[in-house]
Amino acid sequence: QVQLVESGGGLVAAGDSLRLSCAASGRTSGISAVGWFRQAPGKEREFVAAMRWNDEPSTYYADSVKGRFTMSRNNAKNTVYLQGYSLKVEDTAVYYCAGANFVFHLSDSRSGLFDYWGQGTQVTVSS
């Protein structure tokens, strides 16, 4: 089983930046991709970004965050990161990291394809 532990959420001002971390433990060798999702109050959970876990560090971003959010990874620490810049009030949401055993193309990423989920971390962007 894979455990995902998130950290880094908090309150930031609009235009500021924030980095979220997701540390994986357990049978991480079986993970093919790690993604980030977010869910704002009253809205459906939406895809944010995804990255290959055990392959070349290719990434894929939702249009809503492309150019502002960046994923990175530290394989030695089994940790992935989501760095957000120029944060907007509409970025306010609970952010979840997720791991997938089988994702053949990052553009196919959706919540139903992910097998492991973190507990979520709140990001609040104030105006």
Side-chain angles (χ1 to χ4, degrees):
Q1 188 176 359
V2 174
Q3 299 284 339
L4 302 175
V5 180
E6 305 170 30
S7 61
L11 176 65
V12 298
D16 212 336
S17 62
L18 188 69
R19 188 181 75 165
L20 305 180
S21 300
C22 179
S25 62
R27 302 180 66 85
T28 59
S29 61
I31 300 176
S32 66
V34 175
W36 288 92
F37 296 79
R38 67 185 183 184
Q39 187 168 21
K43 296 184 178 180
E44 296 181 351
R45 185 172 299 182
E46 66 172 341
F47 170 78
V48 176
M51 168 177 274
R52 290 289 178 190
W53 176 259
N54 57 0
D55 204 343
E56 298 297 319
S58 58
T59 53
Y60 182 79
Y61 301 93
D63 290 340
S64 59
V65 303
K66 190 175 299 182
R68 298 191 299 114
F69 284 32
T70 301
M71 281 195 71
S72 60
R73 71 188 189 197
N74 187 327
N75 294 92
K77 296 182 178 181
N78 286 328
T79 301
V80 297
Y81 307 93
L82 181 68
Q83 177 73 53
Y85 301 93
S86 300
L87 293 173
K88 304 175 180 179
V89 172
E90 50 264 43
D91 293 320
T92 296
V94 177
Y95 284 71
Y96 300 88
C97 63
N101 289 328
F102 302 103
V103 174
F104 297 102
H105 200 292
L106 295 179
S107 62
D108 294 329
S109 297
R110 59 183 186 272
S111 61
L113 271 59
F114 286 76
D115 305 286
Y116 314 104
W117 292 85
Q119 73 283 1
T121 184
Q122 176 71 48
V123 173
T124 302
V125 183
S126 64
S127 59

